Amino acid sequence: MRVPIETRYNDYDSRGHVNNAVYLSYFEAARWKLWLEHFAGEPDPPVIIAEATVRYLRPALMGVPLLVDITLGEMRTRSWTWNYRVLDARDETPLAEGTTVLVYFDYETRQPAPIPESIRERLASA
Amino acid sequence: MRVPIETRYNDYDSRGHVNNAVYLSYFEAARWKLWLEHFAGEPDPPVIIAEATVRYLRPALMGVPLLVDITLGEMRTRSWTWNYRVLDARDETPLAEGTTVLVYFDYETRQPAPIPESIRERLASA
Amino acid sequence: MRVPIETRYNDYDSRGHVNNAVYLSYFEAARWKLWLEHFAGEPDPPVIIAEATVRYLRPALMGVPLLVDITLGEMRTRSWTWNYRVLDARDETPLAEGTTVLVYFDYETRQPAPIPESIRERLASA
Amino acid sequence: MRVPIETRYNDYDSRGHVNNAVYLSYFEAARWKLWLEHFAGEPDPPVIIAEATVRYLRPALMGVPLLVDITLGEMRTRSWTWNYRVLDARDETPLAEGTTVLVYFDYETRQPAPIPESIRERLASA
């Protein structure tokens, strides 16, 4: 799924580049939008994030329109990986790429839990 | 002008409401978008912000789509006011309103400067 | 009360100035610290913010150590005002000043509520 | 080097945990502070960030005092790695750990450049 990003003026640092930490917010915006579209009705999904990586390929300059391409990576019993690419929306030049590992979580037992089959199917079709 | 806001998961605080400081980022996103559309080609306008106010009317809850309505307030020789309303995009319930005072600035002399006529006209038509 | 602010690299915008929205986070950091010191044991106070204003006096440049001076303004039955000044910590040059209006809130009835006497006393001595 | 972190109210998400993207800001705050102490006089170092990783071990709850332990990892000709651990400042429970790869950068040629010997020495002693 491709998610356009509305950058904000204070996403940019003193050199006019998107700040490194902000990419994780872009990743989050993309997976949140994906979640809302595929799992309507539950704004705050029962997952925790276990790991995140970003590789910064080219600076995202002020004024450049951005989009995030989010795709499913590996799916395991209790966790799965999202892969992300941040692209210049005009010509799809890759600016950054990364991953996050999400763990399905049971907030009652405070433990990771198997991903329910219904969610597993919807993730696979995302 | 009406600007849809892409909220981000970390705009929300521990009660699931948009954090009070984030509204100023929404105002900024709106006036930046307006600037980019009306003053194309210059991503970083020569203005400084002199004053900002926000009145919080109702909490903006997670999942509620937002838009900012930005309109020109008073225009003086060297400064002008933007008025903002943050609305629930579904039914236009007002959630917050506010203002910012912008000062036209000459970065060479480091002084406020009269707003050029060409900019004055485009502001008035914004 | 005076609260030193640990600025962060992404507090600064493309001109190397603290971004206008970030001042509200500094105000929040100051009143949160004050709250934690005077009202120990409750990290998330039962208040809502009704209004905020900032006047930006001088840009806060990268590398300048900052502090926030927070003092009680007017106290009413259900609400009170905090006054803030953001100072250059080296010589106390004022860089910004502002206010927030806080409303004491009963999260059960979802209504503003009279400020309890014990809190009123501690606010007055803050 | 150990750097206390002043958390901010809007670092926390709707579950009262430090948001995942904010950890990269904590890493940045730590390496910026280290830079300012060891390389006084230059607030904005000539480096770019090539890669970042975070492993989230335990949620950082509201009210928990945090510190970042930053140490030098591998040093190569043009780049080096910082290792980070985010700890509960009271008992040093690790909450997160991660790395960033920094590239020394010549802003005139727009190219990575060998790390000068003087900087190499100060990094090694950091």
Side-chain angles (χ1 to χ4, degrees), chain C residues 6 8-9 11 33 44, chain D residues 6 8-9 11 33 44:
Chain C
E6 291 287 338
R8 297 180 187 168
Y9 187 79
D11 291 348
K33 187 143 201 170
D44 206 354
Chain D
E6 291 285 340
R8 298 179 188 168
Y9 188 79
D11 292 350
K33 186 142 202 171
D44 206 356

Side-chain angles (χ1 to χ4, degrees), chain D residues 51-72:
Chain D
E51 205 177 303
T53 63
V54 194
R55 280 173 300 284
Y56 306 93
L57 306 174
R58 285 172 193 78
L61 299 171
M62 197 174 281
V64 171
L66 303 179
L67 66 82
V68 176
D69 185 42
I70 175 173
T71 54
L72 184 69

Side-chain angles (χ1 to χ4, degrees), chain A residues 6 8-9 11 33 44, chain B residues 6 8-9 11 33 44:
Chain A
E6 292 286 339
R8 298 179 187 168
Y9 187 80
D11 291 349
K33 186 143 201 170
D44 206 355
Chain B
E6 292 285 341
R8 297 179 187 168
Y9 187 79
D11 292 349
K33 187 143 200 169
D44 206 355

Side-chain angles (χ1 to χ4, degrees), chain B:
Chain B
M1 181 169 146
R2 297 194 155 202
V3 179
I5 295 295
E6 292 285 341
T7 66
R8 297 179 187 168
Y9 187 79
N10 63 343
D11 292 349
Y12 298 93
D13 66 16
S14 65
R15 296 212 175 87
H17 303 166
V18 169
N19 178 265
N20 72 89
V22 174
Y23 287 84
L24 288 187
S25 293
Y26 292 170
F27 291 1
E28 186 168 61
R31 70 174 178 272
W32 196 35
K33 187 143 200 169
L34 185 149
W35 184 271
L36 288 174
E37 293 206 358
H38 284 73
F39 306 88
E42 185 171 15
D44 206 355
V47 295
I48 54 176
I49 181 165
E51 205 177 303
T53 63
V54 194
R55 280 173 300 285
Y56 306 91
L57 305 174
R58 285 172 193 78
L61 298 171
M62 198 174 281
V64 171
L66 302 180
L67 65 83
V68 175
D69 184 43
I70 175 173
T71 54
L72 185 68
E74 196 187 354
M75 185 151 44
R76 278 154 289 180
T77 308
R78 290 172 172 74
S79 67
W80 72 93
T81 302
W82 289 122
N83 296 325
Y84 309 85
R85 290 188 311 144
V86 178
L87 306 174
D88 182 329
R90 299 168 304 185
D91 59 6
E92 308 212 345
T93 305
L95 305 177
E97 56 189 25
T99 60
T100 57
V101 177
L102 280 292
V103 176
Y104 202 80
F105 199 75
D106 184 328
Y107 275 95
E108 288 196 11
T109 63
R110 315 289 309 162
Q111 293 291 332
I115 306 168
E117 194 55 37
S118 64
I119 291 200
R120 187 173 288 278
E121 278 167 20
R122 276 180 288 178
L123 285 173
S125 71

